[in-house]
């Protein structure tokens, strides 16, 4: 898989760097995990501060493009993005729900 960064943009308001990337693969579109590992190597960042927002490709083509965000702080990322986006990346841990004690019914 070949991957290159097309552009980088600092977003001071959200405290993140927005990356647009393009790539080409031999067989199929690579997984988010593979793309994330390659982007981490290219940007020298850590896995807990990076989120691959989207991956796009055309049917029948081996070329893909997408967007990723690298945050200054992992807590800021968790406050900015919804839980489903963080679950896709494996960054969201659900806490088990506590059941309320059942009250006995009076007859």
């Amino acid at each position: 898989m070949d991957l290159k960064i097309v552009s980088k943009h600092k977003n001071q308001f959200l405290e993140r760097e927005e990356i647009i990337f393009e790539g080409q693969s031999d067989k199929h579109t690579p997984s988010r995990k593979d793309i994330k590992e390659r982007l981490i190597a290219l940007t020298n960042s850590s896995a807990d501060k990076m989120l691959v927002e989207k991956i796009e490709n055309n049917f029948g083509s081996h070329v893909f493009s997408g967007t990723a965000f690298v945050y200054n702080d992992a807590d800021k990322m968790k406050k900015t993005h919804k839980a489903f986006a963080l679950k896709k990346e494996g960054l969201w841990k659900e806490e088990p729900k506590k059941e309320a004690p059942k009250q006995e019914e009076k007859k």
Side-chain angles (χ1 to χ4, degrees):
M1 168 179 67
D2 295 330
L3 186 71
K4 65 178 181 177
I5 296 175
V6 177
S7 69
K8 288 184 181 182
H9 172 68
K10 281 277 192 188
N11 187 332
Q12 298 294 333
F13 180 69
L14 294 175
E15 298 176 15
R16 69 182 183 194
E17 186 174 23
E18 300 170 355
I19 299 171
I20 298 174
F21 60 88
E22 287 182 348
Q24 185 172 359
S25 64
D26 297 332
K27 296 183 180 180
H28 54 79
T29 304
S31 66
R32 286 181 177 275
K33 182 181 176 184
D34 294 338
I35 291 173
K36 186 174 181 177
E37 288 173 359
R38 186 63 64 96
L39 286 172
I40 288 169
L42 291 173
T43 60
N44 296 324
S45 62
S46 63
D48 63 333
K49 295 180 182 180
M50 179 177 283
L51 180 83
V52 177
E53 179 71 18
K54 67 179 175 179
I55 304 168
E56 299 175 333
N57 69 332
N58 293 328
F59 181 75
S61 175
H62 297 290
V63 178
F64 60 92
S65 62
T67 307
F69 302 132
V70 180
Y71 283 85
N72 296 337
D73 184 23
D75 292 331
K76 181 69 173 175
M77 178 177 61
K78 291 177 182 176
K79 290 178 183 177
T80 304
H81 289 282
K82 298 204 182 259
F84 75 90
L86 297 172
K87 283 180 188 177
K88 281 196 264 185
E89 297 289 326
L91 299 170
W92 183 265
K93 296 177 184 174
E94 286 191 39
E95 297 176 11
K97 295 181 180 178
K98 295 180 182 178
E99 294 183 20
K102 295 181 180 179
Q103 296 178 357
E104 296 181 21
E105 294 182 20
K106 295 181 182 179
K107 291 185 180 181

